[in-house]
Amino acid sequence: MGRLAAASLVGTAIEFFDFFVYGTAAALVLGPLFFPTFSPLAGTLAAFGTFAAGFLARPLGSVLFGHVGDRYGRRPVLFASLLLTGCATVAVGFVPTYATLGIAAPALLLTLRFLQGLGLGGEWGGAVLLTAEHAPAHRRALWSSFPQVGPSIGFLLANGVMLALTAGLSDAEFRSWGWRVPFWVAGLLALAGLLLRSSLAETPQFEELSATGRRAGAPLAEIVRDHWRLVLLTAGALAVGYAVFYSVSTWALAYGTERLGVSSTVMLACVMAAVAVMGVLTPFVALLGDRWGRRPLCLAGCAGCALWMFPMVALLHTARPPLMFLGFLGALLAFITMFSVVAAYLPELYEPRVRCTGAAVGYNLAGVLGGALTPILATTLSEGGSGPPWGVAAYLTLVALVSLGCFALLPETLPGRTGEPAPEPAAV
């Protein structure tokens, strides 16, 4: 289990490095480089629009790679998704700016961002099933939490490189070539991830499905026909996690640097410190999910998000690093209370023959609902006025309350509490 957990963690860390480095670049530099004819606000919104394209592609990636995972095994998904995301990310580092290519430059950027999202949409399902379907039932939340640590590591790597570049280069050097370096680094990380995953074995549950001839012929058709309500509930339930995380990791960076006049180095340091604490605590919180259940932690995390959004915005608006860090940390602790157990919870909600598709579609559809538009909406809501952007806090609180209602309609899946190792979706 240690080797499997390490392989899933490293793979998700690499793919989320690719995904996050784009979000940071969108907040800091892509607007003026690829949309120079726009006003500063419009350029940021346009850059966040290309950022959103990655989220729109993720459900499509979960359908494509979910079909592969349910028909041919979880293992092939781990290779194909990592390869696609890595290649697209490296290519972003070579795209000429608007000054060289004109309108073709943002078009290429949009296409590569879409391919990034397509690969990441398949990565999560394969990585979590690798651990969830190997893990003993009484420690499934713990072992499945390691892929959930991957995004924290990926974020720290992406922003650590960006922080070093912004601190070590002049603004002109960073805008000229420095911002491209993290995208080039992604190629080396992808190669390392592919080598690490080359010796992984297929999961026991998929091997059993293959041996008994019970693999799904058309996983997506079964999901749409039999489990559509479950997909919508899980997407709605997880939407708040994406909204909160990307409001902290993407919108807050742009707001702090552009509206509050805080240096990008200080903003990155505050967010990275909060994400580091979150990553360290993730497995420990997951242990509570093995003890008390998945659903109680998800409900508690949603409630925490709803209660903390106004304080977070107030602390951000102070522009004082210790207080901004406190605001970010409170939001991310509420977020990880939910997402530490999600990698065990979602696979347990779906039957094995369609769970690679079902769990991944629900998870990535939540990304569209909560993550794709949050930086754009938050930037729009925070425009104008000299006080704290209370509209952003109200929006995030509303999303948290909707997610709380969705979680309330989902069943518990902790073995021993339901009488079954994994309940049938009909229980929803």
Side-chain angles (χ1 to χ4, degrees):
M1 283 306 307
R3 183 170 59 87
L4 292 168
S8 61
L9 184 153
V10 169
T12 54
I14 292 168
E15 293 220 34
F16 276 93
F17 169 89
D18 298 350
F19 204 70
F20 288 143
V21 78
Y22 189 101
T24 305
L28 298 179
V29 74
L30 294 186
L33 290 180
F34 287 87
F35 304 95
T37 60
F38 292 11
S39 68
L41 172 63
T44 299
L45 288 172
F48 281 153
T50 62
F51 173 78
F55 283 99
L56 297 176
R58 285 175 65 169
L60 297 178
S62 63
V63 169
L64 172 64
F65 290 104
H67 180 87
V68 174
D70 286 325
R71 284 291 300 154
Y72 305 105
R74 317 324 190 189
R75 191 170 176 268
V77 172
L78 298 174
F79 290 92
S81 61
L82 182 57
L83 184 63
L84 175 59
T85 306
C87 290
T89 305
V90 172
V92 170
F94 290 98
V95 175
T97 62
Y98 185 93
T100 303
L101 280 188
I103 193 64
L108 277 174
L109 201 65
L110 183 67
T111 302
L112 293 170
R113 178 60 174 176
F114 187 88
L115 293 175
Q116 262 193 334
L118 203 67
L120 190 63
E123 162 67 23
W124 187 85
V128 300
L129 292 188
L130 178 72
T131 52
E133 293 188 344
H134 276 98
H138 70 289
R139 284 290 179 264
R140 187 174 294 130
L142 171 63
W143 288 113
S144 299
S145 71
F146 283 93
Q148 298 297 83
V149 178
S152 298
I153 295 175
F155 181 87
L156 292 173
L157 286 174
N159 288 280
V161 174
M162 282 290 192
L163 183 61
L165 290 168
T166 55
L169 300 175
S170 67
D171 185 65
E173 289 172 329
F174 180 74
R175 290 174 180 271
S176 174
W177 58 268
W179 69 271
R180 299 180 183 273
V181 173
F183 294 93
W184 298 335
V185 170
L188 298 176
L189 294 177
L191 287 176
L194 290 171
L195 289 174
L196 181 62
R197 289 181 165 183
S198 62
S199 61
L200 296 179
E202 188 52 79
T203 69
Q205 291 190 10
F206 182 79
E207 289 182 342
E208 181 183 350
L209 289 173
S210 297
T212 57
R214 293 188 293 114
R215 288 179 297 171
L220 179 62
E222 288 193 34
I223 290 293
V224 172
R225 183 183 67 242
D226 301 328
H227 312 310
W228 61 270
R229 185 169 180 263
L230 179 58
V231 170
L232 294 179
L233 281 177
T234 53
L238 300 178
V240 64
Y242 283 95
V244 168
F245 187 87
Y246 286 101
S247 67
V248 170
S249 65
T250 302
W251 166 73
L253 285 178
Y255 181 81
T257 56
E258 295 173 8
R259 289 290 307 279
L260 302 180
V262 182
S263 74
S264 58
T265 301
V266 171
M267 289 302 304
L268 284 171
C270 290
V271 176
M272 287 173 63
V275 171
V277 175
M278 179 190 74
V280 170
L281 292 179
T282 298
F284 298 99
V285 179
L287 279 171
L288 299 179
D290 280 325
R291 176 66 180 87
W292 301 107
R294 292 48 159 137
R295 187 169 172 267
L297 263 69
C298 292
L299 292 171
C302 273
C305 288
L307 293 172
W308 189 249
M309 293 303 98
F310 278 90
M312 182 195 78
V313 166
L315 291 168
L316 168 63
H317 192 71
T318 66
R320 297 173 60 185
L323 296 181
M324 291 192 296
F325 164 75
L326 179 61
F328 297 153
L329 181 61
L332 293 182
L333 290 181
F335 160 79
I336 205 57
T337 302
M338 294 176 283
F339 272 57
S340 64
V341 296
V342 159
Y345 194 22
L346 261 65
E348 289 172 344
L349 286 169
Y350 293 88
E351 55 184 310
R353 59 186 276 114
V354 295
R355 71 166 43 131
C356 193
T357 300
V361 169
Y363 186 85
N364 288 297
L365 186 58
V368 176
L369 299 176
L373 297 179
T374 290
I376 297 173
L377 290 174
T379 300
T380 303
L381 290 171
S382 60
E383 181 63 17
S386 57
W390 299 124
V392 177
Y395 162 70
L396 293 173
T397 301
L398 177 62
V399 175
L401 293 175
V402 172
S403 292
L404 186 67
C406 292
F407 272 124
L409 295 174
L410 290 171
E412 180 54 72
T413 62
L414 179 66
R417 292 204 169 193
T418 63
E420 299 288 341
E424 292 295 326
V428 179

